[in-house]
Amino acid sequence: MVGSNGLSGYATNGNGNGVAELNPNGKSTSNGSNGNRASRESIAVNWERLARATAHPLRVSILEILGIDGGRVLSPSDLSQELQIPLSNTNYHVTELAKADLIVLVRQRAVRGATEHFYTLPEALPKVEAEAATVGEPVHA
């Protein structure tokens, strides 16, 4: 089935900012019949924001790098070195990902008169906080 958003296997509430419902076999579910919510998973998705945030292949690469090994904490400078692209390009795309809440600011530090920011994926935040607690390093957002 093609949902109102044009994606196969998804049904949405029609406003583009709603709930995508997908059961385990990839078929969309309806809100009617038995009302048993345990048989399906609902994920709130802002489709427009997600599409804009991941529209550039560099942003997808940034998300992939931050997700390596269960979640890494890197600065735009670290990312620019790994991706071998200019820091200005990396800064722009990291800022856009942060605005879309696809990455989160973990900490900051002063470096040569500037502030270096470190980011991770939201899913990796509990792991990052646990690691910081073991080494006594504060986590700031």
Side-chain angles (χ1 to χ4, degrees), residues 15-98:
N15 67 8
N17 295 328
V19 176
E21 297 177 8
L22 183 66
N23 66 19
N25 66 4
K27 301 290 183 190
S28 63
T29 60
S30 66
N31 290 334
S33 59
N34 64 9
N36 182 3
R37 292 188 87 34
S39 66
R40 64 179 184 254
E41 295 181 31
S42 297
I43 304 168
V45 176
N46 181 324
W47 293 106
E48 182 180 355
R49 190 179 83 192
L50 182 63
R52 285 179 185 263
T54 58
H56 197 282
L58 182 55
R59 294 181 192 169
V60 174
S61 296
I62 290 169
L63 293 172
E64 288 175 345
I65 289 172
L66 289 173
I68 293 173
D69 296 330
R72 297 167 69 191
V73 177
L74 298 171
S75 69
S77 178
D78 299 330
L79 288 164
S80 71
Q81 289 175 3
E82 285 201 31
L83 293 167
Q84 298 180 353
I85 59 170
L87 180 58
S88 59
N89 290 5
T90 308
N91 276 333
Y92 172 77
H93 291 292
V94 165
T95 301
E96 293 301 309
L97 288 169

